[in-house]
Amino acid sequence: MNSDDAWVGETRPYLKPREEGEKDAWTSEAAARGRKGGQRLLAAGEVEPPDLVRAFFGLAPGETAVVRRRLILLDDEPTELADSYYPRHIALGTPLAEPRKIPGGAVTLLADLGYVAADEFEEDTVAENASPAQCELLDLPVGKAVQVLTRFVTSTTGEPMEASVMTMTRHHRYTQRRDS
């Protein structure tokens, strides 16, 4: 792995509401490395979420959540699929459930709705073979392995507010920093 691929990702900027006119965390992170970050919204609306998300939200089988599906780009090349899920009572009737860009991003809208991410969150990561649909969207050969990171975020009041499932193609390195 060369040094350009060895990014040390940090989650906190992705959970922080943006100031007016401030670029999203991914665009800012890529720009800091002399690269171009972007994303394309693939879908938004109600779906039956994956089992891990359903359990986190406390949903019964068949209950739905709102999802925003995005293709994350680095230098205009696909690098990640990001599906962010929200409880229906938070997202329905808001731009989270609509297939359009959200000024300031979802985290900023959530904060405006009174849902600010707690300082602690959980992440789970696994490696698996990409599905044919993932291979097509990410421009990968069939059978290619991907890293799947699932992030569970609660609000400062302890309420589950977002679960994101990120399917990544490039080498990612994550570090945990100890609080002083």
Side-chain angles (χ1 to χ4, degrees), residues 59-89:
L59 301 176
E63 286 188 289
T64 62
V66 170
V67 69
R68 292 184 65 77
R69 291 198 163 113
R70 298 161 330 275
L71 178 64
I72 307 302
L73 306 168
L74 181 62
D75 297 330
D76 295 320
E77 296 293 324
T79 188
E80 178 181 320
L81 293 170
D83 292 355
S84 295
Y85 297 87
Y86 308 94
R88 292 176 73 239
H89 73 276

Side-chain angles (χ1 to χ4, degrees), residues 22 33 40 50 52 72 86 109 123 125 136-137 169 174:
E22 188 178 11
R33 291 168 173 77
R40 188 171 75 224
L52 285 173
I72 307 302
Y86 308 94
L109 176 63
E123 291 183 332
T125 185
E136 185 176 333
L137 285 167
T169 63
Y174 292 92

